[in-house]
Amino acid sequence: MSTNTTHRETETERAENEQEHHCPECGGNLETDESQAETVCADCGLVVDEDAIDRGPEWRAFDAGEKDSKSRVGAPTTKMMHDDGLSTNIGWQNKDAYGNQLSASQREKMQRLRTWNERFRTRDHKERNLKQALGEIDRMASALGLPENVRETASVIYRQALDQDLLPGRSIEGIATASLHAAARMGNVPRSLDEMSAVSRVDQATFKRAYRYIVRELKLEVQPADPLEYLPRFASDLDLDDETERRARELLETAKRQNVHSGKSPVGLAAAAIYAAGVLTNNALTQSEVSAATDMSEVTIRNRYQELLQAAETGPTASAA
């Protein structure tokens, strides 16, 4: 009985396959017209299927060389690696494709291959310099929680500094830190000098000199830091409600219109605005909590707090009220 059932299922599948390859009107053979993306009956001309998905490339090639140059398969290139991500990496796990441990002779062979691979990847001192710097940029960006586009921009800035021979007499770590700081400000996700110094391998004075140097020599278009750019991150760290964050934003916008922010730390103004907004909205925020989240001293917060409230009292909103 089971044999008969299997036989009937096989005949049914065969009939369905024949229907798929034959015209439903006349029973003729179907042909696929790739230029029109249509399936047409060769006998009666009936269009059985249209708008078929073309899974091939959108380009044409007439020889093997042209095909290789136009093909885009493989991992995307990235400026965050010294070789643009085009080289091969040999994993450190001494296992084969099935997860089995390699023998002693195979492990020695793989170690030799890793050594030679590293030597070929960095052929001269310039590439070794770039590899070390890009590793530093990636490490610091990870510690600061910066997005990938900022890391890419920082890598491009460092490459420009290297190409223009701006590094002689300056440390790799200092220029790498300055490149990341500039990229973060250009990407509207700035980090304070103290935050940068906390993750950098150089002191703040060295990093600030390097930053001024590359901005001047590379003619980078870095806008002055805006305290409003620090506000969302600090508000998230302190878990503020929407009303308190909105009030802090209003305080900063009023202060900017009255030019209170000129010559003052944007981080300090953002911290003071959060504290002032907490006071005005009856949010139980203490100066010590704001100080810990923003890495600003309580004295600075108190001073900027008074200035923000004075600006709010004399601002157009207060006078209209």
Side-chain angles (χ1 to χ4, degrees), residues 230-304:
Y230 294 91
L231 190 60
R233 181 162 59 92
F234 293 159
S236 176
D237 292 342
L238 289 165
D239 196 21
L240 298 182
D241 55 61
D242 293 340
E243 182 185 1
T244 305
E245 184 176 353
R246 178 182 58 79
R247 192 72 180 92
R249 187 175 297 276
E250 291 174 354
L251 288 170
L252 288 175
E253 289 172 348
T254 303
K256 286 176 63 178
R257 284 194 294 269
Q258 298 188 31
N259 207 29
V260 174
H261 68 298
S262 179
K264 297 180 176 65
S265 166
V267 182
L269 283 171
I274 289 174
Y275 176 68
V279 172
L280 294 174
T281 58
N282 296 321
N283 194 326
L285 269 179
T286 64
Q287 292 181 11
S288 60
E289 289 175 338
V290 178
S291 175
T294 60
D295 200 23
M296 294 299 298
S297 69
E298 295 183 23
V299 175
T300 301
I301 293 174
R302 284 195 294 272
N303 292 338
R304 300 292 91 83

Side-chain angles (χ1 to χ4, degrees), residues 251-252 255 260 269 272-273 276 304-313:
L251 288 170
L252 288 175
V260 174
L269 283 171
R304 300 292 91 83
Y305 161 75
Q306 296 293 340
E307 294 169 0
L308 289 176
L309 290 184
Q310 290 175 7
E313 290 173 358

Side-chain angles (χ1 to χ4, degrees), residues 28 38 42 45 52 61 70 75 78 86 89 92 103 138-139 147 153 162 180 187 197 209 231 237 271 302:
E38 295 177 340
K70 290 184 176 181
T78 172
L86 297 176
N89 288 321
W92 56 268
S103 64
D138 187 61
R139 179 189 66 80
T153 303
L162 187 62
L180 185 61
S197 299
R209 281 197 302 269
L231 190 60
D237 292 342
R302 284 195 294 272

Side-chain angles (χ1 to χ4, degrees), residues 166-185:
L166 302 182
L167 268 75
R170 292 170 177 82
S171 68
I172 295 174
E173 292 82 1
I175 299 295
T177 307
S179 301
L180 185 61
H181 184 56
R185 291 182 62 172

